[in-house]
Amino acid sequence: MGFDITTLASDWDVKILRALSAFRVVEKLQILKKKLGEGDFDALGEIRQTVLLLAAPPELVKELKTKMLSSGMPWPGDEGEQRWEQAWTAIKKVWASKWNERAYFSTRKAKLDHEYLCMAVLVQEIINADYAFVIHTTNPSSGDSSEIYAEVVKGLGETLVGAYPGRALSFICKKNNLSSPQVLGYPSKPIALFIRRSIIFRSDSNGEDLEGYAGAGLYDSVPMDEEEKVVVDYSCDPLLNDDKFQQSILSSIAGAGKAIEELYRSPQDIEGVIRDGKVYVVQTRPQM
């Protein structure tokens, strides 16, 4: 069996260039982290930009493709190299968010070594939600463990957990009477977010498990595609003007909260969505 020595040399050249590129990025990151440790906080933005220079190792690309396809998710590379680069950039933006200002200064305030913070990136298919919700399985206002508290918005959950103006619909529900949710506040958010079938990359850090440190929500979730902003009028929505529909949706959300709390045997902070009347749980973590 013969082989082309030119092709072999070219392959080695590519591998050497990749290794050199990765080394330069790591070297630059070390310099910037030293500046940061000396109190130069402008280095945070430079670190985030440097992380975006990372090239994807072929082994990582291969493993990621295998896992995504085996999970029934679309592989971005099947839509062309540009779509894969779009996905890889989104992954890097999640990693880079470890060094956003809120995250960095919150670890300092909690007297934690920022270097101890480790992050993985979750890959999830986006469900184009009719509604999104957040559940606390113990009422955070009263501390009542017999009562679920939840908030609901139209569309994707970024308007609920992100810095979007307005209020969500809020309600409580007794765990022993899931069929009778009680609305506490009515929604006033003027914008809802919707999206095509796509992928979102989310942070999963040990900052959510460190004692005395609530790391949830400090790091970025980055969708591959831009969400569409839609002006909404909740007064025309069945969630407000159809009592039977409202009771069904809110009871389903409360029921999911109760079931997840029973599964993990502790109060939970849960995010999820509703699509065509079905409840999808995006993530759950211990309620702080």
Side-chain angles (χ1 to χ4, degrees):
M1 183 179 69
F3 59 86
D4 185 342
I5 189 68
T6 306
T7 302
L8 184 62
S10 177
D11 288 345
W12 274 107
D13 288 344
V14 169
K15 290 178 180 178
I16 290 168
L17 286 171
R18 280 187 184 136
L20 284 171
S21 176
F23 176 77
R24 290 192 185 107
V25 171
V26 170
E27 190 176 42
K28 187 174 180 181
L29 283 172
Q30 294 300 333
I31 293 169
L32 290 170
K33 286 197 282 186
K34 184 179 178 183
K35 285 174 62 179
L36 182 61
E38 293 169 351
D40 182 355
F41 301 128
D42 289 340
L44 287 167
E46 294 181 74
I47 290 172
R48 293 196 297 272
Q49 290 302 313
T50 303
V51 170
L52 297 183
L53 299 176
L54 286 167
E59 298 83 359
L60 174 63
V61 178
K62 182 179 178 181
E63 182 70 13
L64 186 58
K65 180 179 180 178
T66 300
K67 292 296 184 183
M68 288 180 69
L69 291 175
S70 66
S71 299
M73 283 190 276
W75 171 243
D78 288 342
E79 299 177 55
E81 184 63 25
Q82 184 178 356
R83 285 291 281 172
W84 159 245
E85 287 300 328
Q86 203 173 338
W88 177 237
T89 298
I91 291 170
K92 290 185 289 186
K93 284 181 177 179
V94 178
W95 278 332
S97 72
K98 173 182 172 178
W99 287 278
N100 73 44
E101 282 75 11
R102 284 179 62 219
Y104 181 76
F105 289 116
S106 68
T107 55
R108 281 170 60 92
K109 185 177 179 181
K111 294 183 171 56
L112 292 171
D113 183 354
H114 188 257
E115 286 299 303
Y116 180 69
L117 195 82
C118 300
M119 182 186 292
V121 178
L122 299 175
V123 183
Q124 294 178 315
E125 186 170 358
I126 296 178
I127 294 170
N128 193 10
D130 299 320
Y131 303 98
F133 59 81
V134 170
I135 305 170
H136 292 88
T137 60
T138 289
N139 188 327
S141 298
S142 64
D144 187 347
S145 62
S146 71
E147 199 168 71
I148 287 169
Y149 173 84
E151 295 184 346
V152 189
V153 295
K154 280 186 69 67
L156 299 173
E158 287 306 306
T159 60
L160 183 55
V161 300
Y164 285 81
R167 295 186 306 275
L169 182 146
S170 58
F171 73 95
I172 57 173
C173 190
K174 292 292 184 181
K175 293 173 186 173
N176 62 1
N177 190 10
L178 295 175
S179 62
S180 299
Q182 177 187 345
V183 174
L184 298 179
Y186 290 93
S188 63
K189 287 185 178 288
I191 297 293
L193 299 178
F194 298 93
I195 199 169
R196 56 172 275 188
R197 187 189 186 199
S198 187
I199 301 294
I200 191 168
F201 302 92
R202 304 164 62 97
S203 67
D204 184 23
S205 79
N206 62 343
E208 296 172 15
D209 305 315
L210 299 177
E211 187 176 349
Y213 178 67
L218 292 175
Y219 310 103
D220 294 344
S221 296
V222 184
M224 268 188 65
D225 299 286
E226 288 289 325
E227 303 101 335
E228 179 187 3
K229 291 184 178 181
V230 177
V231 177
V232 290
D233 180 359
Y234 278 92
S235 67
C236 302
D237 194 274
L239 191 63
L240 263 67
N241 59 33
D242 184 330
D243 291 343
K244 186 176 179 181
F245 179 83
Q246 181 190 90
Q247 188 269 339
S248 172
I249 293 295
L250 301 189
S251 292
S252 295
I253 292 171
K258 181 183 178 184
I260 292 169
E261 182 183 64
E262 289 175 348
L263 177 65
Y264 288 102
R265 300 179 182 178
S266 67
Q268 295 291 302
D269 177 354
I270 304 161
E271 295 178 25
V273 299
I274 303 283
R275 175 70 180 180
D276 297 330
K278 293 182 180 179
V279 175
Y280 296 86
V281 174
V282 175
Q283 67 177 19
T284 186
R285 61 174 74 92
Q287 183 177 330
M288 302 297 289

PDB file of all heavy atoms in Angstrom, residues 230-263:
ATOM      1  N   VAL A 230     -40.682  39.441  19.791  1.00  0.00           N
ATOM      2  CA  VAL A 230     -42.066  39.671  19.383  1.00  0.00           C
ATOM      3  C   VAL A 230     -42.769  40.482  20.463  1.00  0.00           C
ATOM      4  O   VAL A 230     -42.701  40.131  21.655  1.00  0.00           O
ATOM      5  CB  VAL A 230     -42.812  38.332  19.164  1.00  0.00           C
ATOM      6  CG1 VAL A 230     -44.272  38.575  18.807  1.00  0.00           C
ATOM      7  CG2 VAL A 230     -42.124  37.511  18.076  1.00  0.00           C
ATOM      8  N   VAL A 231     -43.424  41.556  20.062  1.00  0.00           N
ATOM      9  CA  VAL A 231     -44.228  42.333  21.014  1.00  0.00           C
ATOM     10  C   VAL A 231     -45.482  41.533  21.346  1.00  0.00           C
ATOM     11  O   VAL A 231     -46.184  41.045  20.441  1.00  0.00           O
ATOM     12  CB  VAL A 231     -44.601  43.710  20.423  1.00  0.00           C
ATOM     13  CG1 VAL A 231     -45.508  44.480  21.383  1.00  0.00           C
ATOM     14  CG2 VAL A 231     -43.346  44.515  20.118  1.00  0.00           C
ATOM     15  N   VAL A 232     -45.756  41.376  22.645  1.00  0.00           N
ATOM     16  CA  VAL A 232     -46.881  40.533  23.055  1.00  0.00           C
ATOM     17  C   VAL A 232     -47.883  41.334  23.877  1.00  0.00           C
ATOM     18  O   VAL A 232     -47.544  42.305  24.547  1.00  0.00           O
ATOM     19  CB  VAL A 232     -46.401  39.314  23.885  1.00  0.00           C
ATOM     20  CG1 VAL A 232     -45.653  38.344  23.004  1.00  0.00           C
ATOM     21  CG2 VAL A 232     -45.540  39.740  25.065  1.00  0.00           C
ATOM     22  N   ASP A 233     -49.134  40.886  23.811  1.00  0.00           N
ATOM     23  CA  ASP A 233     -50.217  41.465  24.601  1.00  0.00           C
ATOM     24  C   ASP A 233     -50.849  40.328  25.396  1.00  0.00           C
ATOM     25  O   ASP A 233     -51.594  39.515  24.853  1.00  0.00           O
ATOM     26  CB  ASP A 233     -51.241  42.119  23.677  1.00  0.00           C
ATOM     27  CG  ASP A 233     -52.400  42.749  24.450  1.00  0.00           C
ATOM     28  OD1 ASP A 233     -52.404  42.660  25.697  1.00  0.00           O
ATOM     29  OD2 ASP A 233     -53.305  43.320  23.803  1.00  0.00           O
ATOM     30  N   TYR A 234     -50.498  40.241  26.676  1.00  0.00           N
ATOM     31  CA  TYR A 234     -50.967  39.136  27.499  1.00  0.00           C
ATOM     32  C   TYR A 234     -52.479  39.157  27.705  1.00  0.00           C
ATOM     33  O   TYR A 234     -53.077  38.128  28.014  1.00  0.00           O
ATOM     34  CB  TYR A 234     -50.264  39.160  28.860  1.00  0.00           C
ATOM     35  CG  TYR A 234     -48.893  38.528  28.857  1.00  0.00           C
ATOM     36  CD1 TYR A 234     -47.755  39.293  28.627  1.00  0.00           C
ATOM     37  CD2 TYR A 234     -48.734  37.160  29.087  1.00  0.00           C
ATOM     38  CE1 TYR A 234     -46.497  38.714  28.633  1.00  0.00           C
ATOM     39  CE2 TYR A 234     -47.477  36.576  29.090  1.00  0.00           C
ATOM     40  CZ  TYR A 234     -46.361  37.357  28.854  1.00  0.00           C
ATOM     41  OH  TYR A 234     -45.120  36.775  28.857  1.00  0.00           O
ATOM     42  N   SER A 235     -53.096  40.318  27.527  1.00  0.00           N
ATOM     43  CA  SER A 235     -54.544  40.384  27.744  1.00  0.00           C
ATOM     44  C   SER A 235     -55.315  39.556  26.728  1.00  0.00           C
ATOM     45  O   SER A 235     -56.469  39.184  26.966  1.00  0.00           O
ATOM     46  CB  SER A 235     -55.021  41.844  27.687  1.00  0.00           C
ATOM     47  OG  SER A 235     -54.872  42.380  26.380  1.00  0.00           O
ATOM     48  N   CYS A 236     -54.656  39.240  25.594  1.00  0.00           N
ATOM     49  CA  CYS A 236     -55.297  38.411  24.561  1.00  0.00           C
ATOM     50  C   CYS A 236     -54.861  36.951  24.645  1.00  0.00           C
ATOM     51  O   CYS A 236     -55.230  36.140  23.790  1.00  0.00           O
ATOM     52  CB  CYS A 236     -54.952  38.958  23.174  1.00  0.00           C
ATOM     53  SG  CYS A 236     -55.427  40.674  22.912  1.00  0.00           S
ATOM     54  N   ASP A 237     -54.066  36.616  25.656  1.00  0.00           N
ATOM     55  CA  ASP A 237     -53.500  35.268  25.748  1.00  0.00           C
ATOM     56  C   ASP A 237     -54.399  34.368  26.584  1.00  0.00           C
ATOM     57  O   ASP A 237     -54.918  34.800  27.622  1.00  0.00           O
ATOM     58  CB  ASP A 237     -52.112  35.334  26.382  1.00  0.00           C
ATOM     59  CG  ASP A 237     -51.338  34.047  26.195  1.00  0.00           C
ATOM     60  OD1 ASP A 237     -51.500  33.131  27.019  1.00  0.00           O
ATOM     61  OD2 ASP A 237     -50.577  33.970  25.211  1.00  0.00           O
ATOM     62  N   PRO A 238     -54.598  33.120  26.174  1.00  0.00           N
ATOM     63  CA  PRO A 238     -55.448  32.203  26.971  1.00  0.00           C
ATOM     64  C   PRO A 238     -54.919  31.963  28.378  1.00  0.00           C
ATOM     65  O   PRO A 238     -55.685  31.559  29.254  1.00  0.00           O
ATOM     66  CB  PRO A 238     -55.451  30.913  26.145  1.00  0.00           C
ATOM     67  CG  PRO A 238     -54.282  31.017  25.217  1.00  0.00           C
ATOM     68  CD  PRO A 238     -54.125  32.479  24.940  1.00  0.00           C
ATOM     69  N   LEU A 239     -53.629  32.215  28.593  1.00  0.00           N
ATOM     70  CA  LEU A 239     -53.094  32.059  29.939  1.00  0.00           C
ATOM     71  C   LEU A 239     -53.778  33.009  30.920  1.00  0.00           C
ATOM     72  O   LEU A 239     -53.834  32.747  32.123  1.00  0.00           O
ATOM     73  CB  LEU A 239     -51.589  32.312  29.936  1.00  0.00           C
ATOM     74  CG  LEU A 239     -50.818  31.939  31.202  1.00  0.00           C
ATOM     75  CD1 LEU A 239     -50.897  30.443  31.474  1.00  0.00           C
ATOM     76  CD2 LEU A 239     -49.367  32.372  31.103  1.00  0.00           C
ATOM     77  N   LEU A 240     -54.341  34.107  30.389  1.00  0.00           N
ATOM     78  CA  LEU A 240     -55.042  35.063  31.243  1.00  0.00           C
ATOM     79  C   LEU A 240     -56.555  35.032  31.074  1.00  0.00           C
ATOM     80  O   LEU A 240     -57.290  35.231  32.037  1.00  0.00           O
ATOM     81  CB  LEU A 240     -54.533  36.495  30.979  1.00  0.00           C
ATOM     82  CG  LEU A 240     -53.457  36.992  31.950  1.00  0.00           C
ATOM     83  CD1 LEU A 240     -52.170  36.197  31.779  1.00  0.00           C
ATOM     84  CD2 LEU A 240     -53.190  38.472  31.731  1.00  0.00           C
ATOM     85  N   ASN A 241     -57.019  34.798  29.843  1.00  0.00           N
ATOM     86  CA  ASN A 241     -58.456  34.939  29.612  1.00  0.00           C
ATOM     87  C   ASN A 241     -59.219  33.626  29.448  1.00  0.00           C
ATOM     88  O   ASN A 241     -60.409  33.634  29.120  1.00  0.00           O
ATOM     89  CB  ASN A 241     -58.719  35.860  28.408  1.00  0.00           C
ATOM     90  CG  ASN A 241     -58.089  35.345  27.122  1.00  0.00           C
ATOM     91  OD1 ASN A 241     -57.987  34.142  26.920  1.00  0.00           O
ATOM     92  ND2 ASN A 241     -57.665  36.261  26.256  1.00  0.00           N
ATOM     93  N   ASP A 242     -58.537  32.512  29.663  1.00  0.00           N
ATOM     94  CA  ASP A 242     -59.207  31.201  29.600  1.00  0.00           C
ATOM     95  C   ASP A 242     -58.903  30.468  30.902  1.00  0.00           C
ATOM     96  O   ASP A 242     -57.811  29.912  31.083  1.00  0.00           O
ATOM     97  CB  ASP A 242     -58.685  30.416  28.389  1.00  0.00           C
ATOM     98  CG  ASP A 242     -59.392  29.075  28.192  1.00  0.00           C
ATOM     99  OD1 ASP A 242     -59.840  28.476  29.188  1.00  0.00           O
ATOM    100  OD2 ASP A 242     -59.458  28.614  27.038  1.00  0.00           O
ATOM    101  N   ASP A 243     -59.855  30.472  31.821  1.00  0.00           N
ATOM    102  CA  ASP A 243     -59.624  29.919  33.158  1.00  0.00           C
ATOM    103  C   ASP A 243     -59.239  28.441  33.126  1.00  0.00           C
ATOM    104  O   ASP A 243     -58.355  28.003  33.875  1.00  0.00           O
ATOM    105  CB  ASP A 243     -60.874  30.096  34.036  1.00  0.00           C
ATOM    106  CG  ASP A 243     -61.127  31.549  34.386  1.00  0.00           C
ATOM    107  OD1 ASP A 243     -60.193  32.358  34.245  1.00  0.00           O
ATOM    108  OD2 ASP A 243     -62.263  31.879  34.790  1.00  0.00           O
ATOM    109  N   LYS A 244     -59.895  27.670  32.272  1.00  0.00           N
ATOM    110  CA  LYS A 244     -59.611  26.231  32.180  1.00  0.00           C
ATOM    111  C   LYS A 244     -58.194  25.993  31.673  1.00  0.00           C
ATOM    112  O   LYS A 244     -57.453  25.150  32.197  1.00  0.00           O
ATOM    113  CB  LYS A 244     -60.625  25.554  31.277  1.00  0.00           C
ATOM    114  CG  LYS A 244     -60.502  24.037  31.245  1.00  0.00           C
ATOM    115  CD  LYS A 244     -61.599  23.402  30.401  1.00  0.00           C
ATOM    116  CE  LYS A 244     -61.451  21.879  30.370  1.00  0.00           C
ATOM    117  NZ  LYS A 244     -62.505  21.256  29.526  1.00  0.00           N
ATOM    118  N   PHE A 245     -57.800  26.751  30.654  1.00  0.00           N
ATOM    119  CA  PHE A 245     -56.448  26.637  30.095  1.00  0.00           C
ATOM    120  C   PHE A 245     -55.416  27.038  31.145  1.00  0.00           C
ATOM    121  O   PHE A 245     -54.409  26.351  31.341  1.00  0.00           O
ATOM    122  CB  PHE A 245     -56.329  27.528  28.857  1.00  0.00           C
ATOM    123  CG  PHE A 245     -54.968  27.507  28.212  1.00  0.00           C
ATOM    124  CD1 PHE A 245     -54.617  26.504  27.323  1.00  0.00           C
ATOM    125  CD2 PHE A 245     -54.029  28.499  28.488  1.00  0.00           C
ATOM    126  CE1 PHE A 245     -53.366  26.486  26.716  1.00  0.00           C
ATOM    127  CE2 PHE A 245     -52.780  28.497  27.895  1.00  0.00           C
ATOM    128  CZ  PHE A 245     -52.441  27.488  27.011  1.00  0.00           C
ATOM    129  N   GLN A 246     -55.660  28.151  31.826  1.00  0.00           N
ATOM    130  CA  GLN A 246     -54.740  28.628  32.846  1.00  0.00           C
ATOM    131  C   GLN A 246     -54.556  27.585  33.943  1.00  0.00           C
ATOM    132  O   GLN A 246     -53.424  27.284  34.349  1.00  0.00           O
ATOM    133  CB  GLN A 246     -55.260  29.929  33.457  1.00  0.00           C
ATOM    134  CG  GLN A 246     -54.332  30.513  34.522  1.00  0.00           C
ATOM    135  CD  GLN A 246     -54.986  31.662  35.276  1.00  0.00           C
ATOM    136  OE1 GLN A 246     -55.632  31.452  36.292  1.00  0.00           O
ATOM    137  NE2 GLN A 246     -54.806  32.881  34.764  1.00  0.00           N
ATOM    138  N   GLN A 247     -55.653  27.026  34.413  1.00  0.00           N
ATOM    139  CA  GLN A 247     -55.578  26.017  35.485  1.00  0.00           C
ATOM    140  C   GLN A 247     -54.787  24.797  35.025  1.00  0.00           C
ATOM    141  O   GLN A 247     -53.965  24.257  35.775  1.00  0.00           O
ATOM    142  CB  GLN A 247     -56.992  25.621  35.920  1.00  0.00           C
ATOM    143  CG  GLN A 247     -57.059  24.728  37.144  1.00  0.00           C
ATOM    144  CD  GLN A 247     -57.040  23.241  36.784  1.00  0.00           C
ATOM    145  OE1 GLN A 247     -57.362  22.875  35.652  1.00  0.00           O
ATOM    146  NE2 GLN A 247     -56.633  22.413  37.725  1.00  0.00           N
ATOM    147  N   SER A 248     -54.986  24.392  33.776  1.00  0.00           N
ATOM    148  CA  SER A 248     -54.288  23.219  33.248  1.00  0.00           C
ATOM    149  C   SER A 248     -52.781  23.460  33.168  1.00  0.00           C
ATOM    150  O   SER A 248     -51.977  22.611  33.594  1.00  0.00           O
ATOM    151  CB  SER A 248     -54.836  22.879  31.864  1.00  0.00           C
ATOM    152  OG  SER A 248     -54.073  21.861  31.250  1.00  0.00           O
ATOM    153  N   ILE A 249     -52.387  24.615  32.634  1.00  0.00           N
ATOM    154  CA  ILE A 249     -50.959  24.921  32.464  1.00  0.00           C
ATOM    155  C   ILE A 249     -50.274  25.082  33.818  1.00  0.00           C
ATOM    156  O   ILE A 249     -49.218  24.487  34.083  1.00  0.00           O
ATOM    157  CB  ILE A 249     -50.777  26.193  31.613  1.00  0.00           C
ATOM    158  CG1 ILE A 249     -51.249  25.967  30.176  1.00  0.00           C
ATOM    159  CG2 ILE A 249     -49.316  26.645  31.639  1.00  0.00           C
ATOM    160  CD1 ILE A 249     -50.447  24.947  29.400  1.00  0.00           C
ATOM    161  N   LEU A 250     -50.874  25.880  34.703  1.00  0.00           N
ATOM    162  CA  LEU A 250     -50.236  26.140  35.990  1.00  0.00           C
ATOM    163  C   LEU A 250     -50.179  24.877  36.851  1.00  0.00           C
ATOM    164  O   LEU A 250     -49.180  24.634  37.542  1.00  0.00           O
ATOM    165  CB  LEU A 250     -50.964  27.267  36.729  1.00  0.00           C
ATOM    166  CG  LEU A 250     -51.044  28.620  36.001  1.00  0.00           C
ATOM    167  CD1 LEU A 250     -51.583  29.697  36.942  1.00  0.00           C
ATOM    168  CD2 LEU A 250     -49.711  29.036  35.409  1.00  0.00           C
ATOM    169  N   SER A 251     -51.211  24.054  36.798  1.00  0.00           N
ATOM    170  CA  SER A 251     -51.201  22.804  37.568  1.00  0.00           C
ATOM    171  C   SER A 251     -50.147  21.840  37.034  1.00  0.00           C
ATOM    172  O   SER A 251     -49.495  21.122  37.805  1.00  0.00           O
ATOM    173  CB  SER A 251     -52.579  22.142  37.523  1.00  0.00           C
ATOM    174  OG  SER A 251     -53.530  22.904  38.227  1.00  0.00           O
ATOM    175  N   SER A 252     -49.969  21.832  35.700  1.00  0.00           N
ATOM    176  CA  SER A 252     -48.935  20.968  35.099  1.00  0.00           C
ATOM    177  C   SER A 252     -47.550  21.400  35.545  1.00  0.00           C
ATOM    178  O   SER A 252     -46.688  20.558  35.850  1.00  0.00           O
ATOM    179  CB  SER A 252     -49.028  21.019  33.571  1.00  0.00           C
ATOM    180  OG  SER A 252     -50.241  20.481  33.116  1.00  0.00           O
ATOM    181  N   ILE A 253     -47.320  22.710  35.598  1.00  0.00           N
ATOM    182  CA  ILE A 253     -46.023  23.224  36.049  1.00  0.00           C
ATOM    183  C   ILE A 253     -45.784  22.853  37.507  1.00  0.00           C
ATOM    184  O   ILE A 253     -44.716  22.349  37.880  1.00  0.00           O
ATOM    185  CB  ILE A 253     -45.966  24.756  35.862  1.00  0.00           C
ATOM    186  CG1 ILE A 253     -45.947  25.094  34.364  1.00  0.00           C
ATOM    187  CG2 ILE A 253     -44.737  25.350  36.565  1.00  0.00           C
ATOM    188  CD1 ILE A 253     -46.115  26.566  34.062  1.00  0.00           C
ATOM    189  N   ALA A 254     -46.793  23.073  38.349  1.00  0.00           N
ATOM    190  CA  ALA A 254     -46.661  22.732  39.771  1.00  0.00           C
ATOM    191  C   ALA A 254     -46.445  21.234  39.962  1.00  0.00           C
ATOM    192  O   ALA A 254     -45.640  20.808  40.805  1.00  0.00           O
ATOM    193  CB  ALA A 254     -47.904  23.193  40.533  1.00  0.00           C
ATOM    194  N   GLY A 255     -47.146  20.430  39.176  1.00  0.00           N
ATOM    195  CA  GLY A 255     -46.988  18.973  39.265  1.00  0.00           C
ATOM    196  C   GLY A 255     -45.585  18.531  38.911  1.00  0.00           C
ATOM    197  O   GLY A 255     -45.015  17.625  39.537  1.00  0.00           O
ATOM    198  N   ALA A 256     -44.985  19.183  37.884  1.00  0.00           N
ATOM    199  CA  ALA A 256     -43.603  18.861  37.515  1.00  0.00           C
ATOM    200  C   ALA A 256     -42.664  19.208  38.661  1.00  0.00           C
ATOM    201  O   ALA A 256     -41.740  18.449  38.981  1.00  0.00           O
ATOM    202  CB  ALA A 256     -43.210  19.625  36.249  1.00  0.00           C
ATOM    203  N   GLY A 257     -42.908  20.349  39.301  1.00  0.00           N
ATOM    204  CA  GLY A 257     -42.072  20.752  40.425  1.00  0.00           C
ATOM    205  C   GLY A 257     -42.131  19.768  41.570  1.00  0.00           C
ATOM    206  O   GLY A 257     -41.095  19.391  42.144  1.00  0.00           O
ATOM    207  N   LYS A 258     -43.326  19.347  41.908  1.00  0.00           N
ATOM    208  CA  LYS A 258     -43.487  18.385  43.012  1.00  0.00           C
ATOM    209  C   LYS A 258     -42.783  17.069  42.688  1.00  0.00           C
ATOM    210  O   LYS A 258     -42.086  16.502  43.539  1.00  0.00           O
ATOM    211  CB  LYS A 258     -44.967  18.142  43.283  1.00  0.00           C
ATOM    212  CG  LYS A 258     -45.214  17.170  44.435  1.00  0.00           C
ATOM    213  CD  LYS A 258     -46.703  16.890  44.635  1.00  0.00           C
ATOM    214  CE  LYS A 258     -46.911  15.874  45.767  1.00  0.00           C
ATOM    215  NZ  LYS A 258     -48.334  15.510  45.929  1.00  0.00           N
ATOM    216  N   ALA A 259     -42.944  16.589  41.445  1.00  0.00           N
ATOM    217  CA  ALA A 259     -42.343  15.304  41.051  1.00  0.00           C
ATOM    218  C   ALA A 259     -40.820  15.361  41.101  1.00  0.00           C
ATOM    219  O   ALA A 259     -40.162  14.414  41.559  1.00  0.00           O
ATOM    220  CB  ALA A 259     -42.818  14.925  39.648  1.00  0.00           C
ATOM    221  N   ILE A 260     -40.249  16.476  40.654  1.00  0.00           N
ATOM    222  CA  ILE A 260     -38.792  16.596  40.644  1.00  0.00           C
ATOM    223  C   ILE A 260     -38.251  16.717  42.061  1.00  0.00           C
ATOM    224  O   ILE A 260     -37.217  16.136  42.399  1.00  0.00           O
ATOM    225  CB  ILE A 260     -38.374  17.789  39.761  1.00  0.00           C
ATOM    226  CG1 ILE A 260     -38.690  17.469  38.301  1.00  0.00           C
ATOM    227  CG2 ILE A 260     -36.890  18.106  39.926  1.00  0.00           C
ATOM    228  CD1 ILE A 260     -38.570  18.637  37.368  1.00  0.00           C
ATOM    229  N   GLU A 261     -38.945  17.456  42.915  1.00  0.00           N
ATOM    230  CA  GLU A 261     -38.523  17.554  44.310  1.00  0.00           C
ATOM    231  C   GLU A 261     -38.549  16.177  44.984  1.00  0.00           C
ATOM    232  O   GLU A 261     -37.631  15.817  45.736  1.00  0.00           O
ATOM    233  CB  GLU A 261     -39.423  18.512  45.069  1.00  0.00           C
ATOM    234  CG  GLU A 261     -39.001  18.684  46.533  1.00  0.00           C
ATOM    235  CD  GLU A 261     -39.937  19.593  47.301  1.00  0.00           C
ATOM    236  OE1 GLU A 261     -41.124  19.229  47.451  1.00  0.00           O
ATOM    237  OE2 GLU A 261     -39.491  20.664  47.750  1.00  0.00           O
ATOM    238  N   GLU A 262     -39.582  15.396  44.711  1.00  0.00           N
ATOM    239  CA  GLU A 262     -39.663  14.055  45.296  1.00  0.00           C
ATOM    240  C   GLU A 262     -38.552  13.162  44.774  1.00  0.00           C
ATOM    241  O   GLU A 262     -38.001  12.329  45.509  1.00  0.00           O
ATOM    242  CB  GLU A 262     -41.032  13.443  44.983  1.00  0.00           C
ATOM    243  CG  GLU A 262     -42.175  14.103  45.755  1.00  0.00           C
ATOM    244  CD  GLU A 262     -43.544  13.569  45.345  1.00  0.00           C
ATOM    245  OE1 GLU A 262     -43.623  12.851  44.315  1.00  0.00           O
ATOM    246  OE2 GLU A 262     -44.534  13.878  46.047  1.00  0.00           O
ATOM    247  N   LEU A 263     -38.174  13.348  43.503  1.00  0.00           N
ATOM    248  CA  LEU A 263     -37.100  12.544  42.913  1.00  0.00           C
ATOM    249  C   LEU A 263     -35.763  12.843  43.584  1.00  0.00           C
ATOM    250  O   LEU A 263     -34.998  11.929  43.909  1.00  0.00           O
ATOM    251  CB  LEU A 263     -37.014  12.833  41.411  1.00  0.00           C
ATOM    252  CG  LEU A 263     -35.891  12.116  40.643  1.00  0.00           C
ATOM    253  CD1 LEU A 263     -36.111  10.610  40.645  1.00  0.00           C
ATOM    254  CD2 LEU A 263     -35.820  12.632  39.213  1.00  0.00           C
TER     255      LEU A 263
END
